[in-house]
């Protein structure tokens, strides 16, 4: 699958977080957020697919500007829809749980000193002993082992010296075990992985299987890379991961995800503002004539900005324009002109005659044609 083909076709873009979008110091490489904004403006569906718990994923998603859309957490055990208008910032769509008692008892048999953490979705972890800061995302509460085994769990973390060598023994209890190093195992329900969760999302969105892409660097990404129509391993990934992917990009320290994201969008004038570049990208990748639709919040700034395209005789939402949120209609007009769009026209200093009201999708809004109808 080449980049030219993918540019004008909606693609599900599944991205690991740690080692792909975030480095070991929890820094996001420069240029990542603008690149993600352009990918979304091209109409692609960006889905974070992480081993992180929900509490660990949410702040990174916010830093990346991904406050709407889908996300897969806990190696596929939890699927959510991000929604900044929701009180929690998300809606839980699907959770896969399992009986934790058999695998915990087997872990105690093979590694009596094992530390056990059971994920509490959206809050943190219940543990049998204290984990060091940075080992787990979210809050911790130490409880008795019996309490850890009493209720169904979405995910368990097991850590003990050399516990990876017992992976097969633990899998025999009927669970999925993903090594995260020689001393750490993540445990989820049988059959749970990133790929399975992503395929449910793909099916829901109506995206063909060959219009999928995945980028990752860990052993827990192997299923996801095998699932994707286009698979990319980060340069620092272990050999087993690189050999499983169709492509290898640069390492996280070299911002290797950036050329991969760039391959999904058409080339635009680098002198354009972010807003103008996103408008130009949306117009060039849409399947038909395009209008920008905007909605105000409580003040003069825009709460939503989207590109809609005329396809098969009806208007469909093509892509968000991320940089259109929080700006004014005047800024949209200026950016559209800078991007070389045929509209708007009119005298500077007044609202252009081409703006027209739209209703039927929440609060009343306005739309601006970007191409001839």
């Amino acid at each position: 699958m080449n980049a030219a083909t993918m540019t004008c076709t909606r693609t599900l873009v599944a991205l690991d977080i740690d080692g792909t979008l975030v480095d070991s110091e929890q820094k996001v490489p420069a240029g990542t957020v603008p690149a993600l904004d352009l990918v979304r403006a091209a109409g692609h569906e960006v889905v974070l697919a992480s081993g992180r718990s929900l509490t660990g994923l949410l702040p990174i998603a916010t830093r990346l500007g991904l406050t709407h859309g889908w996300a897969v957490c806990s190696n596929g055990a939890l699927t959510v829809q991000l929604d900044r208008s929701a009180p929690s910032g998300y809606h839980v769509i699907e959770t896969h749980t399992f009986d934790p008692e058999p695998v915990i008892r087997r872990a105690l048999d093979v590694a009596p000193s094992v530390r056990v953490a059971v994920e509490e979705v959206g809050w943190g972890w219940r543990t049998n002993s204290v984990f060091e800061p940075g080992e787990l995302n979210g809050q911790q509460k130490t409880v008795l082992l019996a309490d850890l085994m009493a209720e169904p769990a979405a995910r368990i973390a097991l850590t003990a010296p050399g516990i990876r060598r017992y992976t097969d023994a633990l899998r025999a209890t009927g669970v999925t075990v993903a090594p995260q190093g020689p001393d750490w195992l993540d445990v989820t329900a049988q059959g749970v992985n990133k790929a399975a969760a992503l395929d449910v999302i793909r099916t829901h969105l109506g995206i063909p299987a060959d219009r999928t892409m995945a980028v990752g660097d860990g052993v827990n990404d192997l299923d996801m890379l095998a699932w994707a129509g286009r698979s990319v391993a980060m340069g620092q990934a272990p050999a087993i991961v690189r050999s499983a992917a169709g492509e290898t990009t640069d390492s996280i320290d070299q911002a290797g995800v950036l050329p991969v994201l760039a391959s999904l969008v058409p080339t635009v004038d680098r002198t354009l503002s972010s807003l103008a570049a996103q408008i130009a990208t949306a117009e060039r990748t849409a399947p038909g004539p395009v209008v920008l639709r905007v909605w105000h919040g409580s003040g003069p700034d825009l709460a939503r900005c989207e590109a809609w395209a005329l396809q098969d005789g009806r208007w469909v939402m093509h892509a968000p324009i991320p940089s259109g949120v929080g700006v004014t209609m005047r800024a949209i007009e200026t950016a559209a002109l800078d991007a070389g769009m045929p509209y708007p026209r009119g005298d500077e200093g007044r609202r252009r005659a081409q703006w027209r009201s739209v209703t039927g999708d929440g609060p009343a809004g306005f739309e601006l044609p970007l191409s001839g109808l």
Side-chain angles (χ1 to χ4, degrees), residues 145-186:
L145 269 170
D147 294 328
L148 296 181
M149 296 186 286
E151 298 178 0
R155 192 215 346 209
I156 294 174
L158 302 172
T159 179
I163 196 171
R164 182 169 60 184
R165 64 181 179 268
Y166 302 115
T167 297
D168 289 341
L170 296 171
R171 284 177 179 156
T173 64
V175 294
T176 298
V177 181
Q180 303 300 315
D183 305 327
W184 190 291
L185 301 174
D186 275 350

Side-chain angles (χ1 to χ4, degrees), residues 214-217 225 231-235 237 241-243 245-250:
V215 189
D217 76 314
L225 294 172
S231 56
V232 185
M234 297 295 291
V241 177
R242 286 183 277 115
S243 64
E247 306 169 32
T248 298
T249 187
D250 291 332

Side-chain angles (χ1 to χ4, degrees), residues 298-315:
S298 57
D301 293 342
L302 301 177
R304 286 167 57 197
C305 181
E306 300 167 349
W308 285 62
L310 185 62
Q311 187 174 16
D312 298 328
R314 65 188 184 94
W315 289 99

Side-chain angles (χ1 to χ4, degrees), residues 133-147:
E135 287 188 299
L136 298 172
N137 300 122
Q139 303 180 66
Q140 293 183 46
K141 180 181 180 180
T142 303
V143 300
L144 297 175
L145 269 170
D147 294 328

Side-chain angles (χ1 to χ4, degrees), residues 233-279:
M234 297 295 291
Q236 81 282 354
I240 189 174
V241 177
R242 286 183 277 115
S243 64
E247 306 169 32
T248 298
T249 187
D250 291 332
S251 69
I252 179 66
D253 293 334
Q254 298 167 302
V257 76
L258 294 187
V260 180
L261 297 176
S263 72
L264 293 165
V265 299
T267 302
V268 296
D269 185 347
R270 295 193 178 196
T271 66
L272 292 176
S273 68
S274 294
L275 179 56
Q278 291 164 29
I279 291 173

Side-chain angles (χ1 to χ4, degrees), residues 71-222:
V72 172
C73 314
S74 304
N75 289 323
L78 181 71
T79 299
V80 300
Q81 271 192 302
L82 303 172
D83 180 359
R84 67 182 172 195
S85 67
S88 59
Y90 62 87
H91 304 285
V92 174
I93 303 301
E94 189 169 31
T95 306
H96 297 279
T97 62
F98 63 100
D99 179 2
E101 183 173 356
V103 69
I104 291 177
R105 291 198 181 279
R106 182 67 59 85
L108 291 167
D109 288 341
V110 299
S113 64
V114 65
R115 290 183 299 156
V116 181
V118 175
E119 183 177 338
E120 291 288 316
V121 173
W123 180 82
W125 302 78
R126 292 180 295 124
T127 69
N128 67 331
S129 61
V130 176
F131 281 65
E132 294 299 319
E135 287 188 299
L136 298 172
N137 300 122
Q139 303 180 66
Q140 293 183 46
K141 180 181 180 180
T142 303
V143 300
L144 297 175
L145 269 170
D147 294 328
L148 296 181
M149 296 186 286
E151 298 178 0
R155 192 215 346 209
I156 294 174
L158 302 172
T159 179
I163 196 171
R164 182 169 60 184
R165 64 181 179 268
Y166 302 115
T167 297
D168 289 341
L170 296 171
R171 284 177 179 156
T173 64
V175 294
T176 298
V177 181
Q180 303 300 315
D183 305 327
W184 190 291
L185 301 174
D186 275 350
V187 181
T188 53
Q190 192 167 47
V192 166
N193 54 57
K194 294 182 182 182
L198 288 166
D199 205 58
V200 172
I201 296 172
R202 179 196 67 78
T203 302
H204 175 81
L205 295 174
I207 296 175
D210 62 348
R211 296 301 177 192
T212 53
M213 187 183 83
V215 189
D217 76 314
V219 174
N220 64 334
D221 294 318
L222 288 172

Side-chain angles (χ1 to χ4, degrees), residues 274-296:
S274 294
L275 179 56
Q278 291 164 29
I279 291 173
T281 296
E283 197 276 338
R284 290 181 59 182
T285 57
V290 183
V291 297
L292 284 183
R293 290 187 178 179
V294 300
W295 292 264
H296 286 287

